[in-house]
Amino acid sequence: MSSEIKLYLESRDSGLAEAIARAPSEIRSPRVLVQHSRESGPPASPPDIALLHDDPQEGDILQRISAWRQRYPQTSIFVISANNQPEQIVQVMKTGASEYFFDPPDLQKIRDVLVRHRKETVADTENVEGTIYSFIGSKGGLGTTLIAVNTAVAVALRNGGKTGFLDLSLQTGDSSVFLDILPETTLSDICKNMHRLDRSFLRSAMTRHGTGLDVLPAPAHPEEGLNILAEQVKKILTLEKSLYENFIVDCSSVSINELTLEAFRNSEIVFIVTDFSIPAIRNTTRLMKFLQKYDIPFEKMEIVANRFTKDHTGSLEEIENSLKKRLFWLFPEDENAEPSINRGIPLVKYDGKSPMGKSLFDFARKLEDPMAQKNYRGVKGFLGKAI
C-alpha cells in the first residue's frame, strides 16, 4: 500500500489552501499530498480524502457531498464549515461526511485526523476473522444491556480497540445512555443506505467511544426499527465480522424476531442472561427450547446469571439440573452498577475494581481464552475455590 495520502481541497479561499498545505508538513509517515482546486466538483481521479470548504459561493454543501459520493464512493469526505448548528452537523454527516471541522480549522486536529485516517485505511485492507457474541435477557430488568455494554468495553480496553458493538434493542436503544454518546449515525441510517454499504462506509458510520469501542446504536426513534430487514442485519454483521476481532450484539430481552435470529445465527455464542428467580429460570428454559426450534444449537447457548450472591450457592446445582446446562458465568451483585449507568460511565471504567467491574474483566478474558481457568466463572467460594 502507498505511504501517501492524496488530499483534495475544494475551496475558493487561497489562504485556507496554504494553511491546509502546511498542516500535514510535520507528518513523516504517511506523507500527505495536497491538491487545491477553486472549482466545485470531483476531479478526474479519486483522492483518498476530499476536504470541502462550506462556502455559499461554492454551492449547497449537502449537494456537493452527494456529488462526491456518487462519483467516488471510496473517498473519505471531510468538511470545514463556519456553521456550528447541531442539526446542520448531523445532516452533513448523514449525507456522507466522516469529519467536520469548524472554520477556521484547528490544524492540529487536522493532523491528528490524517494520522488516524491512515491507520484505519490500513486496517480496512486487512480482513479479520472476527467473533460475534450476542446477549439476550430471559426477561426484562436483568441488567442485560449493562452486561453487554460493559463486556464490549472490557474487551476493547483489553485488546486496544478492535471491538465493535451493535444495539439491536430497537425499541429502547439504551446503550447510547450507558455510554453517554450522541450518535450521528444509527442502524436505521445504515439500512437506508444499503446501496453504499461496504467496509469503509460501515467503519466510518460507527461512533467511536472514548474507550476505543466502536458503536452502531439503535435507531433514535422506535418506529424506525420497523423498516429494518433481517437480510440487512445479516449483511451488516458479515461486514462487522470482517472489521473487528470481537463484536458484541445487545438484543431486546425475550423479544425474538427475524433480526435477532439473524444475530444468533452469526454468533459464536448466544449468552442468555438470567437471575435466580423462578420466572427468570422458567423463561430461560422456554427461550432455549424456542431457539432450538429455529435451528440455534443448544451447544451455542450459554447462560450467565446476574446479581449472584453466596446465598444462591445452595440452589446452583438444582438450577443447573433444571436447565440441563452448567452456568457459564456468575456476575455478582454490585451497588456501583446503578451510579455508573446514571453517569453514563461504563462500570469497568467507573470502578473496574468493584466486584462486578472485576468480574466483567475476568469474563472478557474468558472470552479471549476459554481454557484459561477453565472452571472459574466469576465467583470463588471457600478457601478461594471456584464455585
Side-chain angles (χ1 to χ4, degrees), residues 208-325:
R208 173 62 58 91
H209 186 256
T211 57
L213 177 68
D214 282 351
V215 182
L216 183 54
H221 306 288
E223 62 272 16
E224 294 179 358
L226 299 174
N227 299 319
I228 297 175
L229 304 176
E231 60 203 50
Q232 295 173 326
V233 171
K234 180 179 180 180
K235 184 173 182 180
I236 290 169
L237 289 175
T238 299
L239 287 176
E240 298 284 19
K241 195 173 181 178
S242 73
L243 287 170
Y244 298 99
E245 291 182 358
N246 298 282
F247 197 78
I248 313 297
V249 183
D250 181 25
C251 301
S252 298
S253 295
V254 206
S255 178
I256 306 296
N257 54 37
E258 288 299 325
L259 307 186
T260 51
L261 286 172
E262 199 58 63
F264 298 155
R265 293 187 185 107
N266 283 274
S267 296
E268 178 75 15
I269 300 176
V270 177
F271 287 108
I272 300 174
V273 181
T274 187
D275 63 14
F276 283 77
S277 67
I278 292 176
I281 296 300
R282 185 194 65 173
N283 284 355
T284 299
T285 301
R286 295 169 64 189
L287 187 56
M288 289 192 295
K289 290 180 179 178
F290 182 85
L291 292 180
Q292 288 179 79
K293 290 181 180 179
Y294 285 88
D295 299 323
I296 307 300
F298 182 77
E299 297 74 21
K300 180 183 280 192
M301 300 177 231
E302 296 289 358
I303 305 167
V304 298
N306 197 14
R307 305 180 186 125
F308 177 84
T309 68
K310 296 297 176 65
D311 294 337
H312 294 134
T313 304
S315 59
L316 183 56
E317 184 177 352
E318 181 182 346
I319 288 173
E320 290 179 328
N321 288 336
S322 173
L323 295 171
K324 297 181 175 56
K325 201 172 190 70

